[in-house]
Amino acid sequence: DAMVIQNPRYQVTQFGKPVTLSCSQTLNHNVMYWYQQKSSQAPKLLFHYYDKDFNNEADTPDNFQSRRPNTSFCFLDIRSPGLGDAAMYLCATSLRLGGGQPQHFGDGTRLSIL
Amino acid sequence: GESVGLHLPTLSVQEGDNSIINCAYSNSASDYFIWYKQESGKGPQFIIDIRSNMDKRQGQRVTVLLNKTVKHLSLQIAATQPGDSAVYFCAENMAVQGAQKLVFGQGTRLTINP
């Protein structure tokens, strides 16, 4: 049973055209994360929500935004995608912040930029 | 900065043999470590974790060893099967600028030969 669900699995957008990726969870976890993963690289954290508190990584471009309307859903908005934003985007959840808490990942959305 | 790294980017083993994937970390204050398995086109899947107050933990066909003296983490997979072919990431939980974060190593691709 999928617990972290990402839609769509594949997304194609045009250069500069805004795109939104979605993530939902059935775990009722407090924390939701967005990672970017490029080919043959480790996931790179973009930001996370702890409940409604948004925490941006210092090196995340302003082009990337996120929304969490409720506990179950979280969205990644890319306002003006560039060619360098083509990647796999992974959503993850954890019960709480801090040590001893594994993150549970969805299967990602692969974003292509035309 | 401090980071988690892997000694070998690729590893090939014969089906049925045991495999060992290694990981070096540099943050002595890290208190929690996770191994993830990522198959092609999927998100990272939790395999096993270990806290810093332990030096060994066993799961089904997998064992994680933690050597805090030399800051080394390893994942042992017994009797490898074709389904074990994947990229394996170690990750450490560390405090970065007051926030707890999961930092991933670069990954090792494990290939099982028939």
Side-chain angles (χ1 to χ4, degrees):
Chain A
D1 294 336
M3 295 178 288
V4 182
I5 304 162
Q6 293 189 242
N7 285 304
R9 292 296 314 280
Y10 301 91
Q11 176 74 55
V12 180
T13 192
Q14 292 179 333
F15 181 94
K17 184 174 181 181
V19 65
T20 294
L21 310 182
S22 72
C23 177
S24 63
Q25 54 132 340
T26 60
L27 298 164
N28 204 33
H29 281 176
N30 295 313
V31 193
M32 295 187 77
Y33 308 81
W34 279 104
Y35 287 84
Q36 180 192 66
Q37 186 178 29
K38 296 194 174 181
S39 182
S40 299
Q41 295 183 20
K44 177 181 181 296
L45 182 64
L46 295 172
F47 27 57
H48 74 268
Y49 269 98
Y50 178 52
D51 288 335
K52 295 183 179 180
D53 293 334
F54 177 71
N55 295 271
N56 200 30
E57 292 300 295
D59 57 355
T60 298
D62 293 339
N63 198 26
F64 291 84
Q65 302 287 322
S66 187
R67 296 170 285 134
R68 189 179 186 187
N70 54 52
T71 300
S72 300
F73 286 87
C74 196
F75 300 98
L76 169 63
D77 301 309
I78 308 177
R79 293 191 297 187
S80 183
L83 297 179
D85 297 329
M88 174 79 87
Y89 290 88
L90 295 163
C91 175
T93 73
S94 65
L95 180 60
R96 57 180 182 268
L97 287 172
Q101 293 295 315
Q103 293 182 18
H104 302 269
F105 285 82
D107 279 337
T109 294
R110 183 165 296 283
L111 179 66
S112 299
I113 313 295
L114 299 180
Chain B
E2 301 192 89
S3 63
V4 176
L6 293 172
H7 296 302
L8 298 172
T10 60
L11 178 64
S12 258
V13 299
Q14 291 296 122
E15 183 177 351
D17 287 353
N18 298 332
S19 64
I20 300 176
I21 301 172
N22 295 302
C23 178
Y25 66 95
S26 57
N27 189 340
S28 58
S30 293
D31 59 0
Y32 177 65
F33 304 86
I34 307 174
W35 280 101
Y36 283 98
K37 171 187 180 183
Q38 187 173 24
E39 297 175 271
S40 181
K42 295 188 176 181
Q45 176 188 0
F46 173 87
I47 302 174
I48 193 167
D49 57 1
I50 189 167
R51 298 178 192 274
S52 58
N53 61 352
M54 304 171 68
D55 54 18
K56 180 179 180 179
R57 192 161 188 228
Q58 288 184 293
Q60 187 176 10
R61 284 200 307 118
V62 294
T63 301
V64 55
L65 299 177
L66 176 63
N67 186 331
K68 293 181 287 294
T69 301
V70 295
K71 299 187 186 70
H72 186 265
L73 190 71
S74 68
L75 177 70
Q76 300 178 0
I77 305 174
T80 54
Q81 304 167 358
D84 294 329
S85 292
V87 176
Y88 290 81
F89 291 98
C90 65
E92 65 177 315
N93 185 78
M94 62 197 308
V96 179
Q97 297 179 332
Q100 295 286 331
K101 295 186 182 180
L102 203 59
V103 177
F104 284 81
Q106 68 182 37
T108 292
R109 182 175 300 280
L110 178 65
T111 302
I112 310 302
N113 300 316

